[in-house]
Amino acid sequence: MDLLKGKEIMVWAYMGNARMYQALRDYGDRISQIGLFSFKVNASGEIYESGVSIATGSTMRTYINKWPHITWLLTVSNDGTNSIFAALRDNANGAQDTFLTELVRIMEEYDFCDGIDIDLEKGDDYSTATASTAMFKNIYNAVKAYDRTKLVNICLPGMTSVNGSVGGENWCVYADLNSYCDIAAIMSYGMAWAGSAPGPVSPRSWLEGIYDYAVTVMTPSKVFLGMPAYGWNWRIHDTPENMGATYRGTSHTYYAARHWLKGKYNFTGDAPPQPFIPFVAYWDDDNMVPYAFPHVYDFMEGQDATDYNYPQMGGTYNGRNYLVAYAKQQHTSFGEVAVERSGDDYDSYSGVITKYDGYVTLGKNGSVAYTFTVDTAGTYDIAVRLCYPFWDKNGIYVSLDGESVHFSEDRLWWPYWRSTFWITLKSGVALSAGEHTIVASVDVEGAQFYGFCVCSAFEEYPTAGDATFTLAPRQFMDVNGDMVGPDTGFKLTLEMLRRKPDSALIWYEDFRDGLLTSYFTTLSGEWDVWQTPNSTSSRPYSQLEGYGQFAWQYSGFGDLHIRAQIIFPAGFSGKAGVFLDSLFCCFNYDSQCIELYEGNALKDSYNTSFSTTAKADLRDNPTIYTIEMRKRGTKVRVYSSSSNTLRFTATVSDVSGYAGLQSDSKVCCQLIRLGDAWTYEPYECFDVTMPDGSSATFGRIERSNATWDEEFQVFTLTSDVEESATRSESISSDYDFFHSDTMTDVVCGKDYTAVITPKDINIWISRLFLGDADGFSILYYQDVDSLVYWANQAAYRWGLKGMCIWSLGQEDMRLWEYLPKQT
């Protein structure tokens, strides 16, 4: 039995500090491989020495001689410079040829080495994958031609699929590179970095995605699971520019993190006035990593709110409990109600009406009349409650004592379609004591009347709800045993997740309510909805499946934004995508292209790649491809991928008609979404009432070439441009931080209230931090428990070669006592 199977440990000798040499001296027997970070390559392909010295007589030579069991590799790095990577890949001016010769030269010069460690980072996108793989093939062959016994280790970015790099390193295709290495160290550290939102450097979700994928396309016994020995401390009391920094994060070793926790550091230059306070660390049981909040006096997660109002609702992602609203609701208030009647409580009718519980649907010449009595003469507001069930059932007349008001709606994105809404019939109208009459009559057949209210003060507006938090700052004991608090005051920092705007929503269909034949029609072929069997959910996971054309029962679509998430079952062939009248935006599986057709005419295309999903994975683990088109007049923009990447723009006829899904053969779809072609919903702005009673608005972005709708907080473009062209400010897809001013009236020992009121939907209320205005932070670090856990996952879950750690000298030295000896 091989007791070391899956338990090898690779490290890099990079730090050159005393602790690195201490680890080599005391624990070299726990290390199987070391990358000597001593060489750089330039754009000419020349290798020069830079980093830890390995020359004869150097300190490192002492340990090279002491530990012959270690596989010693010469690491060659491009320092993450894209231009160097590109020059080597493309053999610009013979750069790759020179590089291959130089690799042999350094192996000859340092003949103790067991091989080469190639650390080339910041390559380009998937279009360069073939050339990049060829470069690694040439490296491998050059080393083996020199000496078959020399090993080639390649350092690879974390990939969760082909084209699946979070950092844009999509040149890397694991399956193609597998043959051109003896060892592969996957650098699965760096998801969190100086400029990112705070979090684990190597979160579980990322690690699982990488290694679940890697073991299916690479030889597992070649692969090292990469883990950081370092951590980050992100200052969250202010913006980086106000702190004189580019990024809010500062890297640190395990022992630097421990100094923060023991109160040896602070944010005022490690000197007064900020007190020196020891802080407890927490354990992230999802990501298996410790963290802390230095100089934070109270904090809350979104769902820790003492109260929150619908449509705010709780959600959980990667162990984080947040609040969010996915759609606004109409808020109404009526003051003192004098009269209230439901739609089915009428006194007379004429024409065709259909009476239901609480409302009437108006048909041909339909009309309903209501007589009501006002006891006291006065000034009143009168509100009516209506519903437009579909886009072609959108008009009604309502009169008060013979004076008629016409209500209608033609905005496809209007948020109250298919739901009831209140609207003013008369505001501040003088009514005499006695009888009055309201009559609702048909404009468009199918409109619905739910009743009316006579009241003192009617008000309505759309709302995303709000959330109230109680914060209770208390004094801490400092390193001297004294009870202390902030010197300057407090700041409140809000951790929020905003998103880029999306087209104002017309319809979101995930088929969880089954096949809605009242709203959809099969124009051709056959379509049905599959739903998770035996699910206890009221809305189980579902997929539409079929072929032909599947459409909304409405033929008046013109300018439109339509998006679908497509799944190709095994054996699929042909085209599948979305359509609007004669326009067909599709994936052509056979040609591996995204294409746009007008009738039979191909307007444009984009080369890409996609694959089918095996039958066993079709429902639980499908491969999903997103496709969308935005039609404005005679221009169509075509997008794909989860990041909604623009692929091409084409000129077409200004058609209108049905819209929906189209496929040549049986396909699956888990989502289809309609949005307005010109109007956008921002997901960015929120109001805050601070603990000291002050208030502020955060996140709203100024835009050009757009008009603003104050009621619904949406904007409409005034020229045919991409939304991103209307703003100069970028929107992170990561958590962001917003800060109050310094609050001097907030003191330790009292409880305070903070209220967050989103003005937009799709904003995650993640966490609130009440901290010392002189500085507070989120600190993540790696300790022995974290690293041992992931070493065991590498061995026993994925069957890998072992774990590699960046880098020696930054780690919790206790780690080595818990790792097996390699000799």
Side-chain angles (χ1 to χ4, degrees):
M1 180 177 181
D2 184 358
L3 296 178
L4 291 177
K5 183 179 180 181
K7 299 178 182 178
E8 294 187 33
I9 297 295
M10 179 178 179
V11 296
W12 285 271
Y14 169 79
M15 294 295 289
N17 58 3
R19 193 167 279 117
M20 183 187 85
Y21 291 113
Q22 178 188 348
L24 280 172
R25 182 193 69 207
D26 297 340
Y27 299 107
D29 58 347
R30 314 299 170 100
I31 301 170
S32 61
Q33 300 181 68
I34 291 182
L36 296 165
F37 221 86
S38 304
F39 299 94
K40 302 287 175 61
V41 59
N42 62 27
S44 299
E46 297 166 341
I47 295 176
Y48 59 97
E49 296 195 21
S50 176
V52 174
S53 174
I54 58 173
T56 301
S58 64
T59 304
M60 185 58 71
R61 281 296 184 103
T62 303
Y63 301 109
I64 291 171
N65 295 330
K66 180 177 180 179
W67 302 113
H69 75 281
I70 292 177
T71 297
W72 298 93
L73 302 173
L74 306 182
T75 301
V76 183
S77 166
N78 70 331
D79 260 351
T81 303
N82 172 259
S83 59
I84 296 175
F85 191 109
L88 297 176
R89 178 193 66 221
D90 300 335
N91 200 22
N93 298 315
Q96 188 182 127
D97 295 335
T98 300
F99 181 50
L100 300 179
T101 302
E102 287 281 87
L103 289 175
V104 173
R105 176 185 64 80
I106 63 172
M107 285 190 290
E108 288 178 334
E109 183 174 350
Y110 296 100
D111 59 0
F112 65 82
C113 79
D114 296 294
I116 292 292
D117 171 34
I118 303 297
D119 182 23
L120 298 180
E121 302 178 38
K122 295 296 181 185
D124 291 294
D125 60 21
Y126 180 71
S127 66
T128 67
T130 300
S132 299
T133 298
M135 174 179 67
F136 280 91
K137 178 181 179 180
N138 293 338
I139 291 169
Y140 182 81
N141 288 339
V143 172
K144 295 302 182 180
Y146 165 68
D147 185 340
R148 296 294 302 176
T149 67
K150 298 295 186 184
L151 302 176
V152 176
N153 179 74
I154 56 177
C155 298
L156 300 179
M159 309 290 294
T160 56
S161 65
V162 175
N163 255 328
S165 166
V166 296
E169 301 265 12
N170 287 312
W171 61 269
C172 176
V173 180
Y174 285 172
D176 295 345
L177 294 167
N178 185 58
S179 298
Y180 306 121
C181 64
D182 300 296
I183 313 158
I186 297 181
M187 300 176 290
S188 47
Y189 38 82
M191 174 66 84
W193 58 287
S196 76
V201 177
S202 297
R204 175 186 292 276
S205 59
W206 191 41
L207 292 173
E208 291 180 338
I210 291 169
Y211 296 101
D212 284 349
Y213 166 62
V215 297
T216 67
V217 292
M218 298 189 76
T219 305
S221 59
K222 287 185 177 183
V223 176
F224 277 111
L225 181 149
M227 285 298 293
Y230 63 90
W232 292 94
N233 195 16
W234 291 271
R235 293 181 292 165
I236 60 168
H237 66 286
D238 209 337
T239 60
E241 56 268 26
N242 286 344
M243 296 185 289
T246 302
Y247 302 119
R248 66 173 70 255
T250 302
S251 65
H252 57 77
T253 67
Y254 165 79
Y255 291 96
R258 195 170 72 170
H259 283 341
W260 276 104
L261 300 180
K262 289 189 171 184
K264 292 187 176 182
Y265 295 155
N266 71 9
F267 290 103
T268 53
D270 300 331
Q274 191 172 57
F276 293 90
I277 303 173
F279 284 90
V280 68
Y282 302 94
W283 179 255
D284 183 334
D285 204 39
D286 181 56
N287 294 293
M288 303 304 287
V289 66
Y291 65 99
F293 299 137
H295 294 275
V296 171
Y297 283 74
D298 200 2
F299 69 93
M300 298 280 164
E301 285 192 333
Q303 292 185 42
D304 292 331
T306 53
D307 182 50
Y308 57 91
N309 296 312
Y310 189 78
Q312 287 293 314
M313 61 184 69
T316 301
Y317 180 75
N318 285 345
R320 189 75 59 81
N321 299 313
Y322 59 87
L323 293 176
V324 66
Y326 293 113
K328 290 184 179 178
Q329 301 293 313
Q330 186 183 46
H331 169 85
T332 55
S333 60
F334 300 90
E336 192 172 318
V337 175
V339 178
E340 186 171 12
R341 293 272 290 276
S342 62
D344 61 342
D345 185 18
Y346 50 82
D347 294 300
S348 64
Y349 76 93
S350 63
V352 177
I353 69 165
T354 305
K355 181 179 178 180
Y356 296 94
D357 185 14
Y359 69 98
V360 293
T361 297
L362 302 175
K364 185 176 181 180
N365 299 320
S367 176
V368 285
Y370 307 82
T371 300
F372 65 94
T373 300
V374 173
D375 294 333
T376 305
T379 300
Y380 294 90
D381 289 347
I382 302 178
V384 293
R385 191 182 184 195
L386 312 175
C387 178
Y388 302 138
F390 215 52
W391 303 299
D392 55 358
K393 299 174 176 62
N394 60 339
I396 191 170
Y397 292 96
V398 184
S399 66
L400 171 66
D401 295 336
E403 187 176 343
S404 182
V405 176
H406 180 224
F407 297 99
S408 66
E409 182 56 59
D410 58 8
R411 294 170 292 185
L412 289 176
W413 61 264
W414 192 63
Y416 301 141
W417 291 108
R418 294 187 295 144
S419 64
T420 63
F421 63 96
W422 288 92
I423 193 167
T424 298
L425 174 64
K426 293 289 183 178
S427 179
V429 64
L431 295 180
S432 60
E435 288 191 348
H436 298 271
T437 301
I438 284 179
V439 177
S441 57
V442 68
D443 172 30
V444 179
E445 293 180 20
Q448 298 170 346
F449 187 73
Y450 275 74
F452 65 92
C453 181
V454 181
C455 59
S456 61
F458 172 65
E459 182 184 31
E460 64 84 19
Y461 56 86
T463 177
D466 57 39
T468 300
F469 299 85
T470 298
L471 297 165
R474 298 295 185 265
Q475 288 184 319
F476 289 122
M477 182 180 291
D478 72 4
V479 293
N480 298 316
D482 298 322
M483 301 304 294
V484 297
D487 174 73
T488 305
F490 284 97
K491 277 190 174 185
L492 179 68
T493 289
L494 303 115
E495 182 184 63
M496 311 287 285
L497 184 66
R498 304 186 302 157
R499 290 176 171 82
K500 297 174 184 177
D502 204 350
S503 55
L505 183 64
I506 296 172
W507 195 293
Y508 184 97
E509 184 58 61
D510 57 12
F511 309 105
R512 289 173 181 260
D513 297 311
L515 190 64
L516 302 176
T517 55
S518 298
Y519 300 122
F520 291 97
T521 184
T522 297
L523 299 179
S524 64
E526 297 180 359
W527 297 88
D528 203 353
V529 171
W530 173 90
Q531 294 189 312
T532 303
N534 305 316
S535 173
T536 58
S537 171
S538 60
R539 302 186 72 248
Y541 174 72
S542 306
Q543 293 175 1
L544 177 72
E545 54 184 15
Y547 67 94
Q549 284 190 321
F550 179 83
W552 281 270
Q553 288 195 35
Y554 180 72
S555 61
F557 292 118
D559 285 1
L560 196 67
H561 176 223
I562 182 168
R563 175 186 299 147
Q565 293 180 350
I566 301 292
I567 303 161
F568 298 108
F572 180 88
S573 64
K575 308 179 189 75
V578 295
F579 79 94
L580 168 60
D581 194 61
S582 59
L583 302 176
F584 182 29
C585 177
C586 63
F587 294 112
N588 186 330
Y589 191 87
D590 301 333
S591 65
Q592 294 287 288
C593 288
I594 295 169
E595 298 175 336
L596 176 68
Y597 289 87
E598 183 176 353
N600 293 322
L602 177 62
K603 306 300 291 187
D604 209 340
S605 65
Y606 173 80
N607 293 325
T608 183
S609 64
F610 29 89
S611 60
T612 59
T613 295
K615 184 177 180 179
D617 295 326
L618 189 62
R619 308 307 186 183
D620 297 325
N621 187 34
T623 301
I624 300 165
Y625 297 96
T626 300
I627 190 167
E628 55 192 297
M629 69 172 169
R630 175 176 281 112
K631 175 192 171 289
R632 296 174 180 161
T634 59
K635 288 288 181 67
V636 169
R637 289 173 170 83
V638 173
Y639 309 79
S640 70
S641 84
S642 58
S643 58
N644 318 117
T645 304
L646 177 64
R647 301 306 187 187
F648 59 83
T649 301
T651 300
V652 299
S653 300
D654 189 6
V655 301
S656 62
Y658 286 101
L661 287 164
Q662 180 175 330
S663 183
D664 292 345
S665 57
K666 188 173 181 180
V667 76
C668 297
C669 173
Q670 71 170 20
L671 172 69
I672 186 168
R673 181 191 188 276
L674 282 185
D676 192 273
W678 296 89
T679 299
Y680 288 81
E681 289 181 277
Y683 307 143
E684 63 197 25
C685 183
F686 57 97
D687 293 337
V688 182
T689 302
M690 302 294 177
D692 65 354
S694 63
S695 60
T697 296
F698 296 101
R700 182 62 77 216
I701 295 174
E702 294 293 327
R703 290 180 168 84
S704 59
N705 297 312
T707 57
W708 184 253
D709 185 309
E710 189 65 37
E711 178 183 8
F712 292 108
Q713 299 286 295
V714 300
F715 61 93
T716 301
L717 302 190
T718 56
S719 60
D720 185 14
V721 297
E722 284 292 281
E723 179 279 325
S724 57
T726 69
R727 54 184 165 87
S728 58
E729 183 177 338
S730 63
I731 302 173
S732 172
S733 58
D734 211 340
Y735 293 103
D736 207 349
F737 294 87
F738 300 87
H739 318 281
S740 74
D741 294 331
T742 299
M743 297 178 289
T744 57
D745 293 339
V746 175
V747 297
C748 291
K750 295 184 178 181
D751 294 351
Y752 298 89
T753 296
V755 181
I756 301 178
T757 308
K759 301 186 78 169
D760 300 333
I761 63 172
N762 284 348
I763 300 173
W764 288 9
I765 302 174
S766 176
R767 291 184 293 190
L768 292 77
F769 299 91
L770 184 63
D772 188 328
D774 284 327
F776 52 97
S777 67
I778 299 175
L779 170 71
Y780 273 86
Y781 61 100
Q782 301 294 143
D783 70 354
V784 56
D785 296 316
S786 179
L787 291 171
V788 167
Y789 173 84
W790 288 109
N792 287 332
Q793 294 290 297
Y796 302 119
R797 176 174 179 174
W798 288 297
L800 304 180
K801 188 175 185 66
M803 181 174 69
C804 58
I805 304 171
W806 179 267
S807 66
L808 193 64
Q810 300 187 79
E811 74 279 9
D812 178 352
M813 295 290 283
R814 296 174 300 169
L815 167 69
W816 303 111
E817 300 290 346
Y818 291 87
L819 295 178
K821 292 184 178 181
Q822 302 288 324
T823 57

